Amino acid sequence: MHHPQTHEDALAGLLVDLARDERLADDVTRAARVGDPEIARLPWEESRRHVDALLRAGFAAFTRDGEPDFAEADRFGAERAALGVPVAALLTGVHAGRSRVLEVAVSRGRAAGIPYDVMLHALLRLDRYGILLERRVVDAYRAAERDLGRDHREARIAVLRSLLLGEGREDTVADPARFGLRPGERYHCVVSDVADPAAARRLEQAFARCGGVLAPVAGRLSGLTPRLPADSPALTVCTPAVPVDQAPAAYALCLTTLRSVRDRGLTGLHSVVDLATETALAAQPLLATFLGEALLGALSPRDDFHRDLVATALAYLDHGQRLDRTADALHLHPNTVRYRLRRLQELTGLPDHPTVPETVRWWWALRSWPAETPEHRQRFMS
């Protein structure tokens, strides 16, 4: 018979493994999204980010004494309120995620040979924490909901879902004219990456002053407006003004553009016209992989010098193929830039004076490098 301390050590090891397992966040996120279509509409990366933070906070609280830390749960609830996620959908997602965590813990506990009574005691503690976490999420949601105010917000959501998603509603709640949106007029379509409730409120008010209608649609603050504000507290993309019947297509384009540039660290208000190249190229990920393999196959993502070469060449193309501007942007001596470009040419065959089509191909390959192929993943995760 094993000493009880051995079982406790095994349980502690199991929790450490669960906390470190990045696949668990993917698994729980999938379970939450399957539980409700409203959750499934939300951007995957946002949902996964919160799930990962909640899991880390949960395991940390479970393995230490004292008051648990619910800061991430509070943030999660407040942001879901700002994005207009119905509380019923929120609870469904939280329940599904909590159940999946318990299922995984039971399965791995059995595989580790942890006795039933030890595992049951741990699971009861874990579930009690899950219940407390759920309450904090809901409380934070309700508080943020009150702070955001309900001044016709539900009606704005109904109107925009009708116009942007094509969800037809024949009632006065979803009447666009109620908010000044008329069939014969043209409006800019906007979609924002904002998640902070206070920033979301400021953005809604800024667009309201411009005569626009902004509200959460499918997890993103979105809307239509006849005029644009001077700026935005978060990354926000917009289209030129379009007729109302083109709003669904304009909305889809805004979403595509936002996804293609959201990792670039941009903030403020940007037109889809200015981001057209990134948006078009992002729509062809397989072609980007082919370009990276064909043009940059001699480079290794594990080699820091190769990474410096790629960053320098990309900055060179971004700054009009000017050595002086590239050097200033990278805080390097022009000779260093020249040397790196020469070494990249020796390794990859980068042309001295690429044509416009060649420039586009090389810029795209450099920007997409390293290519995410199965071979790359297998090689660099081994």
Side-chain angles (χ1 to χ4, degrees):
M1 182 175 179
H2 294 291
H3 191 277
Q5 182 60 36
T6 303
H7 300 151
E8 294 297 330
D9 290 343
L11 180 61
L14 171 63
L15 292 172
V16 169
D17 290 342
L18 287 172
R20 292 176 177 174
D21 188 355
E22 294 186 359
R23 293 172 298 180
L24 180 61
D26 291 330
D27 198 6
V28 173
T29 303
R30 272 192 295 272
R33 290 168 72 86
V34 168
D36 193 280
E38 286 292 336
I39 298 295
R41 284 182 182 272
L42 300 175
W44 167 272
E45 62 275 8
E46 286 296 315
S47 297
R48 191 196 180 283
R49 177 173 64 84
H50 279 295
V51 166
D52 183 61
L54 287 170
L55 288 174
R56 291 178 184 277
F59 288 126
F62 185 78
T63 54
R64 69 166 181 262
D65 296 326
E67 286 294 317
D69 182 3
F70 289 109
E72 189 59 33
D74 293 341
R75 185 158 43 247
F76 177 77
E79 291 191 7
R80 285 304 179 258
L83 295 177
V85 179
V87 69
L90 178 69
L91 286 173
T92 299
V94 171
H95 287 163
R98 197 175 94 206
S99 297
R100 186 57 186 153
V101 169
L102 294 176
E103 289 174 5
V104 172
V106 168
S107 175
R108 297 192 185 182
R110 287 175 176 171
I114 299 175
Y116 178 78
D117 58 339
V118 175
M119 198 66 201
L120 179 61
H121 178 69
L123 290 175
L124 288 174
R125 284 182 55 206
L126 189 61
D127 194 46
R128 281 196 296 271
Y129 174 81
I131 293 172
L132 291 174
L133 182 143
E134 179 183 310
R135 289 175 182 169
R136 288 296 291 261
V137 167
V138 173
D139 287 346
Y141 179 100
R142 296 297 191 194
E145 191 177 48
R146 288 192 296 272
D147 291 341
L148 286 167
R150 310 311 290 172
D151 52 335
H152 309 299
R153 202 169 192 243
E154 294 296 340
R156 283 186 280 125
I157 292 173
V159 165
L160 291 175
R161 289 178 74 96
S162 173
L163 295 176
L164 302 182
L165 299 179
E167 295 183 354
R169 288 183 56 171
E170 303 297 333
D171 55 35
T172 57
V173 173
D175 180 13
R178 178 180 177 185
F179 296 98
L181 300 176
R182 297 176 176 81
E185 303 295 329
R186 301 172 72 91
Y187 302 94
H188 301 273
C189 184
V190 296
V191 177
S192 178
D193 204 31
V194 68
D196 176 67
R201 185 60 172 165
R202 291 198 304 273
L203 197 57
E204 289 182 15
Q205 293 171 341
F207 275 91
R209 288 192 291 271
C210 293
V213 181
L214 209 63
V217 176
R220 296 286 186 203
L221 202 62
S222 310
L224 297 170
T225 180
R227 301 185 308 279
L228 294 167
D231 203 1
S232 165
L235 173 59
T236 302
V237 298
C238 63
T239 67
V242 299
V244 172
D245 62 358
Q246 293 183 16
Y251 171 70
L253 177 59
C254 282
L255 286 178
T256 301
T257 301
L258 188 65
R259 284 192 291 265
S260 67
V261 301
R262 66 189 309 273
D263 293 329
R264 287 180 49 191
L266 297 178
T267 58
L269 187 64
H270 297 269
S271 170
V272 296
V273 173
D274 297 330
L275 302 172
T277 302
E278 294 90 334
T279 304
L281 299 184
Q284 298 292 339
L286 183 58
L287 187 53
T289 298
F290 289 156
L291 273 174
E293 292 173 344
L295 301 181
L296 304 175
L299 304 182
S300 168
R302 278 187 166 178
D303 190 313
D304 290 338
F305 181 59
H306 288 181
R307 290 187 173 276
D308 288 341
L309 297 183
V310 169
T312 303
L314 188 57
Y316 179 67
L317 295 180
D318 281 340
H319 290 85
Q321 301 179 45
R322 291 276 301 270
L323 281 174
D324 54 346
R325 292 179 181 175
T326 306
D328 288 343
L330 298 178
H331 305 291
L332 297 173
H333 193 279
N335 287 341
T336 303
V337 175
R338 187 180 290 108
Y339 166 73
R340 289 183 180 180
L341 292 174
R342 186 172 68 251
R343 286 293 295 132
L344 187 64
Q345 288 173 332
E346 294 170 355
L347 289 169
T348 66
L350 174 69
D352 283 324
H353 304 288
T355 64
V356 172
E358 287 175 333
T359 299
V360 172
R361 286 197 295 270
W362 280 93
W363 178 85
W364 193 6
L366 291 163
R367 188 172 179 273
S368 304
W369 186 85
E372 278 293 328
T373 63
E375 292 77 15
H376 271 106
R377 285 194 292 270
Q378 184 176 4
R379 187 190 318 161
F380 299 123
M381 290 178 68
S382 61

